[in-house]
Amino acid sequence: MENIPPSPPPLKTADECITYSVDTSSTDSLPERAIFDPILLPPDSYDVNGTYWADLPFSKRVSFVLNYDLGVEGKNEWAEIWAAAKRNPFSPLIQYFKSAVLPGAGLGLEGYVLFSIGNIKPLFQAVWKECWGTHQVCNSAWVNSIEYLEVAGIMVGQILVGIQGDWVGRKWGLVQDALVMFIGLILLTASWGTSLNGWVICYAWCLFIYGIGVGGEYPMTATMSMEKSQGSSIMSSKEDRLHRGRSVTSAFLMQGWGQFFNVVVLMIVLYIANGAWNPPYSEKAVQIAFRVSFAIPAIGTAILVWHRMGLKGTNKELKSQKKKSNITGYDLESLKLTFTYFGGRMFATAGTWFANDVFFYGNKLFQSEFIKVITPNNHSVMEGWKWNLVNVSVSLVGYYLASLLIDNKLYGRKWMQIVGFMFDFLLFIIPAFSYAYFTSREHIHAFQAMYFLSSFFNQFGPNSVTFLVAAEVYPASVRASAHGFGAAVGKLGAVAAAILYSYIDTQTKFYVVPWFGLAGAIMTYVWLPDTTGLDLAEQERRWRYIRQGRGEEYCGVAIHAKHLSVWERWMGIGKQYNPTKDYKMRIEEMRAEWEEKSKEGVTEEGRQEIWTQHIDDYFRKTKEGAVALARQTDDIVPVHQEKSSLAI
């Protein structure tokens, strides 16, 4: 090999400086293995013999996951939380606010507003019956257009801002979304008309504008939350492998809190403005209730705009991947290749999101009819909101449980989505064929339980997973675009539910809707890969091979059968998986990167620094690196023995 730079400087453990005479031309050197094994075979993904966790027999896989994920990592996290809490009792709350609440604030605010539309509709119908009920003074087409224009705005935002986020950058999309939502909320709060019909038209178009900002939140929040813990092309990140799903889902579940607080605010404001819990409700009270309910999130959104303008590092991963592929502007070539190589994934992420939104929005649209079934002869809007609050609370439990288990290698994304879809299917199909039985007074509690459980499994399943995987299974340069496309197709499911529910009665809804759950489970099983435990840096590495026209040369874990869909395995992808060959290829890639930097006129000292960038920093800055190297330094014996399953 030409132009091989000198040997690297000493590597430092947590306790002392140890000098190695590393043979940079051989991958069989034990000292070199002592350096590279902890980096390329991290202990959270490989056992002591160098075997990838997904290659382990089932019993050993269970033991490995329980020992590391729940044992080592779980104990470390709790120890850090406890140590921080002892220094400052509010430290865990502050950390949660920074890692989940702030990244998910946009989704929390949009959840508050979007679902308030359904919450205040019964109030409008109770006070302005001639407009919202009989349509005597309002055009029924415009009244019905409110929901359609809202969804249309969301779809426009999802697609356009998704493309914009991959073109201009994540930060621009984040700031723009918050700004558009702020303008939309100002318009909603001040919406007016010379007649009730004029006000309805104004209200509908204000929702369309607000919806554009909401739509952009989906791809921007998903990509931002996902990429903040991603490692470099060679140096992977434990945080990314073990907690990426939790990071994204923790931000996404703020949507549930938005729904919760909207109901609480509406109940409090209406009670104060009306002076009573039950009807009749005055027009003035309703005006105060819905305008105050929009003014509150407007304040929060203004603060969000200010916060996002100060964000740093949100475009780091996108710029890094574009630089490696020599791309400026929008990566149209990667978009074309995504449809060519990941067409099955596009079908899975978009199709399952469509099926889920029929359930998710159908559940919300059906909510008022469900409440009528369990509370006959009730005419109080407050009573409906009370049951809505119960339903949202059940959903929040599902959100949090999803966040807890979505990164578990024994369950993970794919099984969570399949199980969630199947439970939704069963919980709707059972009462469909025994509707009279379950809606009778003596069995109404069983009907309630099934309805609430369907909300739980929707969050502890497809609603959380679709948001994550629609970005996760694609390369960084088109990640926001792909997520926006999947989310927009999903919103067509919401439109389908709204139209469908307008023409069929309650029992027929139970006959029709469950099959979308079954279809979602089938699509998930056949076409969706399981990226649980897969490092995004490794997925990006595979993508560079594909983009260079060398996809068949890649043989790393990104094409392990565990991380491919059934469809991809049927198509023959993954046959070249070879961990022994890949180990050596990864070392050569590290050398090539180092040599490339050396050719750029870097000084001798600079070349030494570049060599240790991926190695020395690893041991300095991570507990795993320091411990792993310390265990190997006494006799220069690697953790992964010579009889390693990699047979190096």
Side-chain angles (χ1 to χ4, degrees):
M1 184 180 296
E2 299 179 358
N3 300 323
I4 297 179
S7 299
L11 300 174
K12 300 174 179 59
T13 68
D15 301 314
E16 59 183 330
C17 285
I18 305 294
T19 302
Y20 288 104
S21 177
V22 179
D23 181 359
T24 58
S25 65
S26 169
T27 60
D28 297 321
S29 163
L30 288 182
E32 186 176 272
R33 290 282 306 283
I35 294 172
F36 286 113
D37 276 15
I39 301 172
L40 301 182
L41 309 176
D44 59 85
S45 296
Y46 292 84
D47 73 355
V48 293
N49 294 316
T51 304
Y52 188 55
W53 68 268
D55 282 321
L56 294 169
F58 181 73
S59 60
K60 291 185 178 180
R61 187 186 309 176
V62 172
S63 177
F64 176 83
V65 172
L66 293 178
N67 287 338
Y68 194 92
D69 292 26
L70 297 182
V72 177
E73 182 66 11
K75 289 179 180 178
N76 285 341
E77 282 199 295
W78 280 112
E80 290 174 4
I81 292 172
W82 177 247
K86 286 195 293 184
R87 292 191 299 270
N88 180 358
F90 295 103
S91 178
L93 290 176
I94 294 171
Q95 182 58 37
Y96 179 74
F97 183 82
K98 290 180 179 179
S99 62
V101 177
L102 278 180
L107 287 173
L109 289 164
E110 65 90 2
Y112 176 103
V113 176
L114 287 189
F115 292 99
S116 74
I117 308 307
N119 289 332
I120 60 180
K121 185 177 179 179
L123 195 58
F124 293 161
Q125 291 172 334
V127 176
W128 294 299
K129 294 180 182 179
E130 68 278 13
C131 177
W132 292 82
T134 61
H135 303 137
Q136 292 174 328
V137 298
C138 295
N139 188 305
S140 61
W142 277 111
V143 173
N144 294 329
S145 73
I146 287 173
E147 292 172 352
Y148 302 141
L149 279 174
E150 174 190 2
V151 175
I154 294 172
M155 293 172 65
V156 169
Q158 287 168 333
I159 294 173
L160 292 184
V161 180
I163 294 172
Q164 190 181 54
D166 288 331
W167 194 342
V168 182
R170 316 302 195 212
K171 181 176 179 177
W172 174 262
L174 287 165
V175 174
Q176 175 188 269
D177 291 338
L179 189 59
V180 172
M181 286 197 297
F182 175 70
I183 294 171
L185 282 167
I186 295 298
L187 293 174
L188 283 168
T189 304
S191 60
W192 203 263
T194 56
S195 65
L196 278 175
N197 193 58
W199 168 64
V200 168
I201 295 172
C202 179
Y203 183 61
W205 283 111
C206 291
L207 276 175
F208 175 80
I209 294 171
Y210 182 78
I212 294 174
V214 169
E217 278 299 300
Y218 282 73
M220 291 299 96
T221 301
T223 52
M224 178 190 69
S225 300
M226 187 172 299
E227 292 173 354
K228 67 181 181 181
S229 60
Q230 187 173 340
S232 67
S233 59
I234 302 298
M235 285 295 294
S236 56
S237 164
K238 183 188 74 170
E239 180 69 20
D240 177 69
R241 290 186 298 272
L242 296 184
H243 306 305
R244 180 175 68 245
R246 185 178 69 184
S247 177
V248 176
T249 310
S250 295
F252 179 62
L253 67 79
M254 296 311 298
Q255 183 185 75
W257 280 113
Q259 298 172 50
F260 180 89
F261 284 113
N262 173 250
V263 180
V264 172
V265 169
L266 281 173
M267 293 176 74
I268 293 173
V269 174
L270 182 60
Y271 179 79
I272 294 172
N274 196 59
W277 181 270
N278 294 317
Y281 305 110
S282 69
E283 291 188 11
K284 181 180 178 181
V286 175
Q287 289 277 3
I288 293 173
F290 91 82
R291 294 184 191 280
V292 170
S293 72
F294 288 141
I296 291 174
I299 298 170
T301 307
I303 296 172
L304 185 64
V305 173
W306 173 79
H307 166 70
R308 287 182 172 179
M309 290 179 69
L311 288 176
K312 297 179 180 179
T314 53
N315 297 322
K316 180 181 178 181
E317 179 60 23
L318 179 65
K319 289 181 178 178
S320 173
Q321 298 307 326
K322 282 188 175 184
K323 183 178 180 181
K324 287 181 173 64
S325 300
N326 297 317
I327 300 165
T328 57
Y330 190 75
D331 191 358
L332 190 60
E333 180 64 22
S334 284
L335 186 64
K336 294 177 182 177
L337 289 172
T338 298
F339 279 96
T340 301
Y341 286 88
F342 291 164
R345 299 185 179 196
M346 296 293 287
F347 175 74
T349 54
T352 56
W353 207 329
F354 178 92
N356 172 67
D357 273 15
V358 172
F359 259 106
F360 181 68
Y361 285 92
N363 182 294
K364 299 302 177 185
L365 292 169
F366 177 66
Q367 189 165 260
S368 61
E369 293 175 317
F370 161 73
I371 293 169
K372 288 178 183 177
V373 171
I374 63 174
T375 58
N377 302 318
N378 172 64
H379 301 288
S380 172
V381 173
M382 289 284 199
E383 186 70 16
W385 288 348
K386 182 186 73 174
W387 284 107
N388 186 8
L389 199 61
V390 175
N391 196 30
V392 173
S393 299
V394 172
S395 297
L396 276 169
V397 177
Y399 276 118
Y400 275 99
L401 195 57
S403 178
L404 182 66
L405 293 179
I406 204 163
D407 287 309
N408 186 284
K409 298 184 182 74
L410 303 179
Y411 192 56
R413 290 99 156 109
K414 189 163 185 173
W415 277 112
M416 184 179 291
Q417 182 152 297
I418 291 173
V419 171
F421 268 130
M422 288 306 298
F423 266 101
D424 280 341
F425 167 70
L426 293 172
L427 291 166
F428 269 71
I429 203 71
I430 291 172
F433 291 95
S434 304
Y435 186 74
Y437 174 84
F438 283 108
T439 55
S440 63
R441 182 176 296 274
E442 58 270 23
H443 300 110
I444 195 67
H445 292 301
F447 182 69
Q448 283 179 273
M450 286 188 287
Y451 182 78
F452 288 139
L453 282 173
S454 73
S455 294
F456 169 82
F457 279 104
N458 187 248
Q459 313 314 322
F460 181 50
N463 198 42
S464 294
V465 178
T466 50
F467 182 83
L468 168 64
V469 298
E472 188 179 51
V473 299
Y474 303 110
S477 57
V478 294
R479 181 169 289 146
S481 302
H483 189 280
F485 171 77
V489 173
K491 284 298 169 284
L492 289 177
V495 174
I499 295 173
L500 185 67
Y501 278 29
S502 299
Y503 293 98
I504 57 179
D505 61 25
T506 303
Q507 185 170 3
T508 306
K509 292 169 187 174
F510 277 97
Y511 283 130
V512 174
V513 172
W515 304 106
F516 287 94
L518 183 60
I522 293 172
M523 284 188 286
T524 302
Y525 176 75
V526 177
W527 284 284
L528 186 70
D530 189 354
T531 43
T532 307
L534 175 64
D535 200 311
L536 282 187
E538 187 64 24
Q539 185 167 271
E540 292 297 333
R541 178 171 166 254
R542 180 198 173 195
W543 184 251
R544 285 193 296 278
Y545 275 80
I546 291 174
R547 212 178 182 288
Q548 295 166 8
R550 302 164 52 217
E552 70 283 350
E553 297 179 26
Y554 176 80
C555 55
V557 296
I559 57 168
H560 189 286
K562 173 68 178 177
H563 301 309
L564 295 174
S565 68
V566 172
W567 175 260
E568 288 171 329
R569 298 200 295 271
W570 284 347
M571 294 295 100
I573 299 173
K575 289 182 178 179
Q576 70 267 33
Y577 174 64
N578 187 327
T580 302
K581 180 180 177 181
D582 187 63
Y583 182 93
K584 296 180 179 181
M585 288 174 65
R586 291 165 76 190
I587 292 178
E588 291 305 314
E589 288 170 22
M590 292 180 74
R591 287 196 180 111
E593 184 176 333
W594 174 45
E595 291 171 10
E596 183 65 28
K597 293 291 184 181
S598 298
K599 294 176 183 177
E600 296 176 358
V602 183
T603 64
E604 176 74 15
E605 183 179 351
R607 288 199 295 271
Q608 300 268 1
E609 182 179 349
I610 293 167
W611 173 256
T612 58
Q613 177 182 357
H614 297 312
I615 300 171
D616 195 30
D617 283 353
Y618 177 82
F619 296 119
R620 287 174 181 269
K621 297 178 181 178
T622 69
K623 295 179 181 178
E624 288 73 17
V627 172
L629 187 58
R631 290 165 58 189
Q632 302 173 68
T633 53
D634 291 339
D635 300 310
I636 317 183
V637 176
V639 170
H640 308 295
Q641 303 297 326
E642 284 187 282
K643 59 181 181 181
S644 165
S645 61
L646 294 174
I648 296 175

